Amino acid sequence: MKKDILKTAVELFLTYGFKSVTMDDIANALGMSKKTIYQYFENKTVLVEESVMYLFQTISSGIEDIRDLEKNPIEEIFEIKRFLMKNLKDEKSSPQYQLEKYYPKIFKDIKERQFCVMEDCVTCNLERGVKMGLYRKDINVDFVSKIYFTCMMALKDKELFPLDNFSMQTLMNNYLEYHLRGICTSNGIELIDNYLKINQN
């Protein structure tokens, strides 16, 4: 039952935002009373915190599964992007903004966890890419991994990138191509071009 509540809460939070969704909304979506939800979660803040952690663990596990496939580093990045877009539902409601504004402690904690996971993922990706001759040997791996995380977070800033002007899909596609073309060798550029030709409309 608790897992069902978390799944539904995550779905609603991502679709409508952490502030916008009420306990009544979640109860109605599940076809149960609020009293039942409160048996598992003391209040909305607790539910938000556990929902965020549930989503984080789901995404972290999915990223690890993709990394275990040991695809070439360029294809791996695009596969992770596709997985994130599927699980974050295009983030049309600006959930990150609402989480940061209304639940700052939860936001700070999850951002630190996200950074640890992404830094490890990106660092390994960069190091593999250099060894395979797809990324330039002269890149500063530590710098690039930190810039990558910072820019990915910035894409979700709706003041910088209003939803009316930029879809998350477009932002992610443009940023990944920007990122990769800045660090790739000629062999890597050729691989990007082939991948985009086959997989992008």
Side-chain angles (χ1 to χ4, degrees), residues 33-50:
S33 68
K34 279 197 299 183
K35 186 180 293 185
T36 304
I37 296 178
Y38 284 122
Q39 290 177 4
Y40 297 93
F41 305 95
E42 182 179 352
N43 52 50
K44 184 181 174 183
T45 299
V46 172
L47 177 55
V48 167
E49 185 172 19
E50 293 200 34

Side-chain angles (χ1 to χ4, degrees), residues 98-114:
Q98 291 195 16
L99 188 66
E100 183 175 11
K101 183 175 181 180
Y102 299 106
Y103 302 94
K105 290 182 179 180
I106 298 173
F107 174 80
K108 182 177 183 294
D109 177 60
I110 203 64
K111 183 179 178 181
E112 290 172 354
R113 292 172 185 267
Q114 287 173 335

Side-chain angles (χ1 to χ4, degrees):
M1 178 64 74
K2 184 174 182 178
K3 189 173 182 180
D4 290 337
I5 295 172
L6 285 172
K7 284 183 177 180
T8 299
V10 166
E11 181 93 13
L12 292 173
F13 288 145
L14 289 178
T15 303
Y16 302 107
F18 290 98
K19 174 66 173 177
S20 306
V21 175
T22 66
M23 297 295 266
D24 282 315
D25 294 329
I26 297 168
N28 290 336
L30 287 160
M32 63 175 61
S33 68
K34 279 197 299 183
K35 186 180 293 185
T36 304
I37 296 178
Y38 284 122
Q39 290 177 4
Y40 297 93
F41 305 95
E42 182 179 352
N43 52 50
K44 184 181 174 183
T45 299
V46 172
L47 177 55
V48 167
E49 185 172 19
E50 293 200 34
S51 295
V52 168
M53 187 54 60
Y54 176 80
L55 179 61
F56 170 76
Q57 290 170 345
T58 300
I59 288 176
S60 297
S61 176
I63 289 174
E64 282 303 310
D65 289 343
I66 293 170
R67 293 176 65 184
D68 287 343
L69 296 175
E70 296 186 344
K71 298 187 175 189
N72 76 67
I74 292 172
E75 188 175 358
E76 179 181 86
I77 281 185
F78 282 108
E79 286 296 317
I80 289 174
K81 185 269 296 186
R82 185 166 24 243
F83 171 76
L84 289 174
M85 293 305 302
K86 179 181 177 181
N87 281 271
L88 296 177
K89 303 184 181 302
D90 208 23
E91 302 195 49
K92 295 177 181 177
S93 64
S94 307
Q96 177 180 288
Y97 170 79
Q98 291 195 16
L99 188 66
E100 183 175 11
K101 183 175 181 180
Y102 299 106
Y103 302 94
K105 290 182 179 180
I106 298 173
F107 174 80
K108 182 177 183 294
D109 177 60
I110 203 64
K111 183 179 178 181
E112 290 172 354
R113 292 172 185 267
Q114 287 173 335
F115 177 75
C116 290
V117 170
M118 190 173 288
E119 184 176 43
D120 178 62
C121 177
V122 175
T123 296
C124 290
N125 181 278
L126 292 170
E127 290 173 347
R128 286 202 305 123
V130 170
K131 287 180 181 179
M132 294 174 67
L134 298 175
Y135 301 157
R136 302 194 327 265
K137 291 183 179 180
D138 61 346
I139 62 173
N140 184 318
V141 171
D142 185 50
F143 171 78
V144 174
S145 67
K146 287 179 169 58
I147 284 292
Y148 184 86
F149 177 77
T150 302
C151 290
M152 289 293 282
M153 295 297 287
L155 294 182
K156 301 174 184 179
D157 185 333
K158 298 313 173 190
E159 292 184 2
L160 276 177
F161 302 106
L163 284 171
D164 290 341
N165 300 335
F166 303 94
S167 72
M168 186 55 65
Q169 182 76 37
T170 298
L171 288 173
M172 289 284 281
N173 287 341
N174 289 344
Y175 175 64
L176 287 187
E177 188 172 354
Y178 171 86
H179 165 73
L180 288 169
R181 290 189 185 281
I183 63 174
C184 275
T185 61
S186 57
N187 287 339
I189 295 291
E190 183 178 353
L191 203 157
I192 294 170
D193 289 337
N194 289 335
Y195 182 88
L196 293 177
K197 186 176 181 180
I198 294 170
N199 292 281
Q200 305 282 329
N201 292 325

